[in-house]
């Protein structure tokens, strides 16, 4: 606490004097001012004040841009909770895309909480960047449940067996999201964590990939594109 005489509370700075020496401090570094008359002035950090993001769309619907090439179509929904935090949920329709396995079908889910780096601003006191824009860390859970046809061949023909797998991974995903004109976004990400599959082996599991069971490391990476809507 600093005992002083406050001479000015500006848009960005607070000016004060101590023993007739003038000082100034960034307003973001001040929690509150307590005046002698008992009045208390409380400040909110400009990077996290809701008023800086009024009019911005806080919901996004995204598509995994390259996921159909891997045999799954992924759709994601993201909702901003507050500046610096959002929730994201994903649905994967396994088998909707390039057929990487015979007769493959199934479903996948992802859910994560984004910790977004403090939003930046273009110029102090002017326009702030979008509430969903920036680099982030996202702990997330990824689940894939699917089956495909496996054929055993014999001299007199072949026999079809349905093989089913369920794979689960706990990931920490790092990414960066760009927002354009409060309407369109691009999200690039990569993640790593631990995973398990009922099949016991590693490889591509549509929503994530697994190393062999003796080394149960999981990974994910991709690009999402999407549209923003709602406030």
């Amino acid at each position: 606490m600093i005992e002083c005489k406050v001479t000015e509370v500006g848009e960005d700075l607070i000016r004060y004097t101590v023993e007739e020496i003038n000082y100034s401090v960034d307003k973001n570094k001040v929690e509150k001012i307590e005046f002698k008359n008992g009045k208390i002035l409380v400040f909110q950090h400009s990077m996290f004040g809701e008023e800086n993001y009024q009019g911005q769309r806080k919901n996004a619907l995204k598509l995994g841009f390259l996921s159909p090439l891997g045999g799954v179509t992924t759709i994601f929904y993201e909702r901003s909770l507050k500046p610096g935090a959002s929730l994201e949920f994903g649905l994967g329709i396994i088998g909707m895309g390039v057929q990487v396995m015979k007769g493959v079908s199934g479903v996948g889910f992802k859910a994560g909480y984004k910790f977004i780096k403090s939003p930046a601003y273009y110029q102090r006191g002017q326009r702030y960047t979008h509430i969903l824009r920036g680099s982030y860390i996202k702990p997330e859970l990824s689940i894939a449940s699917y089956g495909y046809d496996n054929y055993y061949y014999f001299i007199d023909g072949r026999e079809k067996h349905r093989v089913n797998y369920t794979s689960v991974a706990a990931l920490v995903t790092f990414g960066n999201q760009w927002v354009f004109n409060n309407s369109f976004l691009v999200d690039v990400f990569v993640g790593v964590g631990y995973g398990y599959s009922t099949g016991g082996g590693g490889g591509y599991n549509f929503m994530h990939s697994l190393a062999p069971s003796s080394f149960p490391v999981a990974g994910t990476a991709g690009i999402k594109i999407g549209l923003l809507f709602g406030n």
Side-chain angles (χ1 to χ4, degrees):
M1 175 179 276
I2 301 174
E3 293 187 2
C4 62
K5 178 182 179 181
V6 176
T7 58
E8 180 185 350
V9 179
E11 184 177 355
D12 303 313
L13 298 175
I14 296 174
R15 303 184 189 278
Y16 61 96
T17 60
V18 177
E19 297 181 354
E20 299 184 356
I21 300 176
N22 296 322
Y23 297 91
S24 65
V25 61
D26 190 322
K27 195 159 66 172
N28 285 332
K29 296 181 179 180
V30 178
E31 181 180 342
K32 63 182 178 179
I33 297 175
E34 296 182 6
F35 295 94
K36 284 186 177 181
N37 62 6
K39 182 180 179 181
I40 298 176
L41 192 59
V42 179
F43 300 98
Q44 188 176 42
H45 196 290
S46 64
M47 292 296 104
F48 299 99
E50 291 285 350
E51 66 275 5
N52 293 316
Y53 308 95
Q54 293 297 320
Q56 293 187 354
R57 295 169 178 166
K58 297 179 174 62
N59 300 277
L61 193 63
K62 299 183 272 188
L63 177 70
F65 184 59
L66 301 176
S67 64
L69 298 179
V72 57
T73 296
T74 52
I75 302 170
F76 296 86
Y77 168 71
E78 182 176 359
R79 167 66 182 176
S80 172
L81 301 177
K82 60 182 180 180
S86 67
L87 283 173
E88 185 175 82
F89 302 95
L91 171 67
I93 305 173
I94 299 172
M96 183 179 289
V98 176
Q99 289 293 303
V100 296
M101 299 175 181
K102 292 182 179 180
V104 66
S105 63
V107 65
F109 299 97
K110 279 190 174 183
Y113 187 96
K114 273 187 176 182
F115 297 92
I116 305 171
K117 184 180 178 181
S118 301
Y121 52 85
Y122 293 120
Q123 291 183 14
R124 178 177 287 276
Q126 295 188 15
R127 187 161 61 95
Y128 287 78
T129 60
H130 200 278
I131 197 169
L132 290 176
R133 179 187 183 277
S135 57
Y136 63 84
I137 299 175
K138 179 178 62 173
E140 68 177 335
L141 180 67
S142 178
I143 302 172
S145 181
Y146 61 95
Y148 65 92
D149 296 330
N150 193 20
Y151 291 90
Y152 296 93
Y153 292 88
F154 305 96
I155 295 176
D156 56 349
R158 68 177 185 176
E159 184 177 319
K160 182 175 75 172
H161 290 267
R162 189 70 175 171
V163 181
N164 296 296
Y165 287 102
T166 297
S167 180
V168 180
L171 304 162
V172 178
T173 299
F174 303 87
N176 197 84
Q177 187 160 266
W178 295 268
V179 176
F180 304 93
N181 197 31
N182 196 30
S183 300
F184 179 77
L185 62 81
V186 177
D187 184 355
V188 179
F189 64 93
V190 61
V192 66
Y194 293 97
Y196 168 80
S197 173
T198 56
Y204 176 59
N205 284 268
F206 297 98
M207 302 300 286
H208 53 265
S209 295
L210 294 177
S213 57
S214 59
F215 188 60
V217 172
T220 186
I223 301 172
K224 304 170 192 170
I225 58 173
L227 298 174
L228 286 86
F229 63 96
N231 291 322

